[in-house]
Amino acid sequence: MTIGYDGKRYFHNKSGLGNYSRDLIRILSTNYPEHQYYLYDERPDSIPSHPSISHIPIKGFLGRQLSLGKQAEGCDIFHGLSGELPLRWGPKSPKKIVTIHDLIFEKLPDYYAFLDRKIYFKKFQHACEKADIVVAISEQTKKDIIEYFGTPEDKIKVIYQGCSHLFKRIYSAAEKTEIKEKYSLPDEFILNVGTLESRKNGLILLQALKATDIPLVFIGRKTDYAKKMEQFAQENKMENRVHFLEGLSNEEVAILYSLAKIFAYPSEYEGFGIPIIEALYSGIPVVTNQAGVFPEAGGPSSAYVDIHNAEEVKAKLISLWDNELERERMSREGRTFVQKFDDLTLAKQWMELYQTLL
């Protein structure tokens, strides 16, 4: 079987959609190396060395939209990894799958410019109409696809995301000490991972813990919202126990997960929430949003709060911070739950879907 992919996110996104694309190709090529996986992109920044993975250069003006469909005629299946499919196809077009990650631009429209929302809506709507199968990364995203695009339920398949193998490793004391000293971090801290933007709602953690002595570590790219967080920390004399890190390698991030005492993820909305999965694999108890997709990702052993209520967030975090037995229970049960997102399970689900189409 030959499967073609739009390789834009695989090659050019260092987080989020890029991680999803790279992990999917990795688990398929590792577990099913007998098939061929073609990554289409104009200018890849690096070429995979795996014998089952090939890069195919896209040709022509507006290649992803206008030329890619024709070039992919030789594939059995074409998979759009991030909500898009080419606009034009040749007479022998392959079977088509598109992954829809989230509809944040519809659920939280105030975060997007009007024109951007309209463009995203048209792209996603076109992909859902033209695809033979639409894959949602969660039941929540499936509900959103049905609500906003009217896609028939039987056309949508839910296949969850996994995470990098780096978060499943056991790191040595020396490795942990090296990273802790490199970034001048305390022995114990609460961790948050994700872009520092208003949707991620990191400010609520500062508000919740301003009157405590609990250290916080934020890992993620800074936006203008980060300035509000930094200003709040300064005004409340929290600078010595609030750390803002960015530009870390994936391995460094994984080690910091393993060092953390609690993972706090007060995001407003996600299509799924890979950082929750990373935390569970790392053996860290999770505190997150009680609404939306988050219980789907966090499972029954995570703690759920009203992320707009600083007092409730504070009470839960302090309770866990002081209760080692509860943290150990959550860690143990979280590791059991998260196995439903392991590589082989997800690879089998994808391969069964591909084979069903053919």
Side-chain angles (χ1 to χ4, degrees):
M1 189 184 342
T2 302
I3 308 108
Y5 300 89
D6 180 347
K8 177 182 177 181
R9 308 293 184 181
Y10 181 101
F11 289 114
H12 304 295
N13 281 52
K14 301 307 178 185
S15 59
L17 298 178
N19 287 338
Y20 173 84
S21 302
R22 288 183 290 273
D23 278 340
L24 176 58
I25 303 303
R26 174 182 61 80
I27 66 174
L28 287 173
S29 60
T30 299
N31 291 286
Y32 298 97
E34 67 272 23
H35 303 296
Q36 291 297 309
Y37 307 94
Y38 291 166
L39 295 167
Y40 292 87
D41 186 67
E42 295 95 334
R43 300 177 302 279
D45 53 11
S46 62
I47 307 297
S49 59
H50 194 284
S52 297
I53 305 173
S54 302
H55 164 249
I56 310 294
I58 301 176
K59 303 172 184 176
F61 178 68
L62 293 175
R64 291 180 64 241
Q65 290 77 30
L66 304 182
S67 304
L68 177 51
K70 176 67 175 176
Q71 285 185 250
E73 276 191 332
C75 297
D76 298 307
I77 292 171
F78 183 85
H79 185 172
L81 293 169
S82 57
E84 295 183 61
L85 288 174
L87 298 177
R88 294 182 182 176
W89 296 91
K92 300 178 181 178
S93 65
K95 295 291 186 180
K96 306 174 193 67
I97 294 177
V98 66
T99 296
I100 303 293
H101 296 263
D102 60 66
L103 298 183
I104 295 177
F105 58 90
E106 288 295 322
K107 301 290 285 189
L108 300 174
D110 291 345
Y111 290 96
Y112 293 84
F114 176 80
L115 183 57
D116 288 342
R117 284 171 39 219
K118 294 301 179 184
I119 292 172
Y120 294 148
F121 187 91
K122 286 294 184 184
K123 283 183 176 181
F124 283 34
Q125 184 181 50
H126 168 265
C128 288
E129 289 175 353
K130 297 301 181 183
D132 295 286
I133 292 289
V134 176
V135 172
I137 63 167
S138 66
E139 293 291 343
Q140 179 64 54
T141 296
K142 177 180 177 179
K143 292 176 184 176
D144 293 342
I145 293 168
I146 294 170
E147 176 183 353
Y148 288 100
F149 300 134
T151 305
E153 184 174 0
D154 60 4
K155 187 179 179 178
I156 307 172
K157 170 77 171 177
V158 174
I159 300 182
Y160 289 111
Q161 298 177 257
C163 69
S164 168
H165 65 285
L166 293 172
F167 300 92
K168 304 167 188 177
R169 276 185 53 193
I170 303 298
Y171 292 95
S172 68
E175 289 174 307
K176 293 179 181 180
T177 298
E178 180 182 355
I179 294 301
K180 188 169 61 175
E181 292 179 350
K182 177 178 179 179
Y183 293 105
S184 302
L185 298 178
D187 291 334
E188 297 181 323
F189 55 86
I190 291 175
L191 178 67
N192 173 268
V193 176
T195 303
L196 300 185
E197 58 183 342
S198 56
R199 175 172 62 86
K200 301 290 188 179
N201 199 33
L203 187 58
I204 197 73
L205 297 178
L206 297 175
Q207 293 168 343
L209 298 178
K210 66 180 180 180
T212 74
D213 59 357
I214 297 175
L216 277 164
V217 175
F218 294 92
I219 303 177
R221 180 177 58 85
K222 293 182 179 180
T223 68
D224 288 342
Y225 181 76
K227 297 176 183 177
K228 295 181 181 179
M229 297 174 64
E230 291 171 336
Q231 182 179 353
F232 185 92
Q234 291 170 0
E235 290 174 350
N236 289 276
K237 297 180 172 54
M238 303 172 72
E239 309 101 297
N240 292 335
R241 59 184 177 89
V242 177
H243 306 261
F244 296 96
L245 307 179
E246 60 180 329
L248 281 67
S249 69
N250 285 339
E251 184 174 54
E252 288 179 323
V253 174
I255 294 173
L256 285 178
Y257 268 105
S258 70
L259 281 166
K261 197 168 178 177
I262 299 169
F263 181 71
Y265 197 62
S267 178
E268 296 265 2
Y269 177 88
E270 301 288 337
F272 182 56
I274 288 182
I276 294 175
I277 303 303
E278 294 170 346
L280 294 177
Y281 269 115
S282 302
I284 312 170
V286 171
V287 177
T288 188
N289 191 342
Q290 65 189 9
V293 74
F294 302 95
E296 234 180 298
S301 63
S302 294
Y304 301 98
V305 294
D306 177 354
I307 60 162
H308 302 291
N309 186 329
E311 286 302 315
E312 183 176 332
V313 174
K314 175 183 178 180
K316 179 55 66 176
L317 290 175
I318 290 178
S319 172
L320 278 179
W321 185 265
D322 294 333
N323 192 333
E324 183 177 1
L325 289 178
E326 179 64 3
R327 294 198 310 274
E328 289 176 352
R329 180 196 67 80
M330 292 174 67
S331 172
R332 183 174 62 254
E333 294 181 8
R335 283 186 186 275
T336 299
F337 168 78
V338 81
Q339 299 311 311
K340 67 185 290 186
F341 309 115
D342 80 275
D343 290 354
L344 182 56
T345 297
L346 298 179
K348 284 181 177 178
Q349 291 175 8
W350 277 111
M351 195 51 60
E352 287 171 3
L353 181 60
Y354 288 160
Q355 292 171 340
T356 297
L357 271 180
L358 298 179

